[in-house]
Amino acid sequence: MRAVTMSSHGGPEVLRLTEVPEPEPTAGHHRVEVLQAGVNYSDLHVREGDYLAGVTLPYVPGNEVIGYSDGRRVVALTRGGGYAQVALAHRRSTIPVPDDIDDATAISLTLQGNSAWHLLHTALRISQGETVIVPAAAGGVGSLAVQLAKRAGARVVALAGTDAKRALALGLGADAVVDSTSTSLAADLKEATHGAAAAALEMTGGDTLHATLEALAPMGRMAVYGSVSGIETTITTRDLMATGKTVSGFWLPLLFGHRTALRDSMTDLFQAVRDGELTVPAPTVYPLTEAARAHEGMAARRTTGKVILDPAA
């Protein structure tokens, strides 16, 4: 089969389309004939060698696919192997897709939709009337988090780096938008949140993390789910004690082994789409042969919505 492999860590150029043997089925896993593979920031970290979980080289990246398994259309979260024509996925992270949900919508909800849902409802436990800060609000997780937070009755302050992306966030329902590249980010966030942000998502690290934390009201909660800046960021216990703020980490694979967590959130996400409460922005689709270009576009923040690789293109 055709697959994108990496034999070393480095830039996008290490991603090469090759012919490799199909993966051998193992106990508790499904064979999935891949229609589309999702591209995520975690894949960039894997490629660069600084992901939370190490990988053995050579390696086929990709943790998210939609395809057919035993005649059923399914989405699946994998531990690698997604950038290929065939992938293996554990039964607990393989979920049937209803006929009324199209491929692009389903895969957009799989990793990023589940991440947004569990960040808001499992990690932060947001409630109606709270003000929530959502970063990268035009991106895959952010665009869904804006809508899911509004669906839960929260007031949403969205971060985005361009006028077009801030306009998109407003169109998705954000109550206010802030320029994520501002040199006065903490002050801008405090103004937009009226000094009353109860919760925040954070995925950048460095100065952005500190500015977001500063903008939280006393006893506010932050869930950290990425560090796209690559900067290891320190928070002092003194600061946390003085403000009563809580910072928690979130990593979706921690839920892969849970018996019902992913199925329950996917069921709710599918229903939100049916009810018109959740709109998935149009994806950016690259052929499987252009995985390197997909990584470049994502790293440069040129993409909006879900980034997808198509093995058939």
Side-chain angles (χ1 to χ4, degrees):
M1 69 172 187
R2 296 194 308 166
V4 173
T5 62
M6 46 181 281
S7 298
S8 62
H9 296 293
E13 70 280 355
V14 303
L15 301 176
R16 304 286 179 85
L17 188 69
T18 58
E19 291 285 336
V20 300
E22 283 194 17
E24 292 290 336
T26 57
H29 287 72
H30 295 292
R31 176 184 183 273
V32 182
E33 297 172 6
V34 178
L35 294 170
Q36 296 176 338
V39 181
N40 299 283
Y41 278 109
S42 58
D43 301 344
L44 277 64
H45 288 296
V46 167
R47 192 200 73 228
E48 293 166 352
D50 61 358
Y51 189 51
L52 287 174
V55 301
T56 301
L57 300 173
Y59 182 75
V60 178
N63 300 320
E64 170 191 47
V65 298
I66 184 168
Y68 284 97
S69 177
D70 296 327
R72 302 177 305 162
R73 190 167 58 112
V74 299
V75 288
L77 290 161
T78 69
R79 293 186 182 272
Y83 292 9
Q85 291 178 303
V86 176
L88 293 183
H90 195 277
R91 57 183 175 80
R92 285 185 176 172
S93 57
T94 304
I95 301 163
V97 179
D99 291 340
D100 59 345
I101 304 294
D102 63 68
D103 291 350
T105 297
I107 196 168
S108 296
L109 297 177
T110 304
L111 193 149
Q112 292 167 329
N114 273 306
S115 293
W117 196 98
H118 284 285
L119 278 163
L120 293 169
H121 297 298
T122 303
L124 291 176
R125 300 182 183 274
I126 65 167
S127 59
Q128 186 170 0
E130 290 189 319
T131 295
V132 181
I133 298 171
V134 176
V141 174
S143 62
L144 300 175
V146 168
Q147 298 174 79
L148 291 172
K150 290 300 296 179
R151 181 174 181 246
R155 180 177 184 270
V156 176
V157 174
L159 283 163
T162 68
D163 289 340
K165 291 183 177 183
R166 289 189 289 276
L168 175 60
L170 288 171
L172 293 172
D175 297 280
V177 291
V178 172
D179 182 356
S180 58
T181 68
S182 171
T183 56
S184 56
L185 183 58
D188 295 346
L189 281 171
K190 286 179 182 178
E191 180 179 358
T193 61
H194 309 310
L201 281 61
E202 213 296 300
M203 47 80 74
T204 303
D207 291 342
T208 300
L209 185 150
H210 284 297
T212 305
L213 187 61
E214 185 180 338
L216 282 176
M219 304 299 290
R221 296 106 60 203
M222 173 186 284
V224 177
Y225 63 104
S227 181
V228 297
S229 68
I231 299 172
E232 287 291 332
T233 309
T234 300
I235 302 167
T236 68
T237 53
R238 184 182 182 86
D239 288 342
L240 295 178
M241 291 170 61
T243 62
K245 296 174 185 178
T246 302
V247 179
S248 61
F250 177 82
W251 190 37
L252 189 64
L254 295 173
L255 297 176
F256 283 11
H258 193 283
R259 189 169 63 87
T260 61
L262 296 175
R263 290 181 180 269
D264 289 349
S265 52
M266 283 299 286
T267 297
D268 191 48
L269 289 164
F270 289 148
Q271 191 59 50
V273 171
R274 291 191 189 98
D275 293 341
E277 297 174 328
L278 185 62
T279 299
V280 175
T284 304
V285 182
Y286 296 87
L288 186 65
T289 55
E290 297 186 13
R293 192 162 69 90
H295 276 220
E296 290 170 353
M298 179 171 282
R301 306 285 184 95
R302 291 194 299 266
T303 60
T304 58
K306 184 68 189 172
V307 179
I308 292 171
L309 297 178
D310 182 354

